[in-house]
Amino acid sequence: TEYIIVKEERVGVHFVAGAGYPLSPASKPSVRDLCSHPFILTEKGMSYRRLLDEKLAEMSLEIHPLLEIGNTDLICSLLEQNLGISFLPDYVTAKKIAEGKLVVLDVDDLDIEVWKQLLYHRNKWVSPQMESLIRHCVEYAFT
């Protein structure tokens, strides 16, 4: 109630791997199948990583990542070298997937919802510069 939501939209988050990774996207692996593979993930506690860990715990599953790092560009680069699997939002992987460098490993037994939001505090003054930034973000950061 303390914030005004200017804009929000759902963001897809998927398991991804390098295009040459030995696990085929067509095989529709289960989450349990994926857990036995090496993972390169963002740091524990980050939004979508935390949601993944919570969902896996509900299923009595756990991932022990090969590497945890906050730099998603580096994660994508390592995935391109077929070094493992990751769980990343679509806005991070879309270009590499379109270029055929990464593939989505679709699983039926896990659905995590993440939202992108632009908001500001209801009781704070919004300067003309902030209003301009908000308009710019609505126009360019949301589809």
Side-chain angles (χ1 to χ4, degrees), residues 40-96:
I40 302 167
L41 296 174
T42 53
E43 291 140 338
K44 203 170 198 57
M46 286 185 68
S47 62
Y48 45 89
R49 165 70 191 278
R50 181 179 42 79
L51 294 171
L52 173 64
D53 289 340
E54 289 170 2
K55 287 286 190 180
L56 290 174
E58 289 173 15
M59 302 167 75
S60 297
L61 296 172
E62 189 177 15
I63 292 173
H64 299 284
L66 187 65
L67 177 65
E68 293 176 301
I69 187 166
N71 186 328
T72 55
D73 287 336
L74 180 55
I75 292 172
C76 288
S77 177
L78 294 170
L79 294 179
E80 286 179 57
Q81 298 172 51
N82 301 310
L83 296 177
I85 297 171
S86 194
F87 185 75
L88 295 168
D90 293 347
Y91 62 84
V92 170
T93 60
K95 184 177 179 206
K96 300 285 185 181

Side-chain angles (χ1 to χ4, degrees), residues 6-7 116 118 130-143:
V6 177
K7 187 86 172 174
K116 175 171 51 171
L118 176 61
M130 284 298 297
E131 287 176 357
S132 178
L133 178 65
I134 290 168
R135 281 193 307 275
H136 178 80
C137 289
V138 167
E139 186 173 343
Y140 294 104
F142 290 85
T143 56

Side-chain angles (χ1 to χ4, degrees), residues 3 9-10 15 30 33 47 68 75 91 97 114 122 126 128:
Y3 294 93
E9 68 184 25
R10 186 175 193 263
F15 290 102
S30 70
D33 295 335
S47 62
E68 293 176 301
I75 292 172
Y91 62 84
I97 289 169
V114 177
R122 178 178 306 281
V126 179

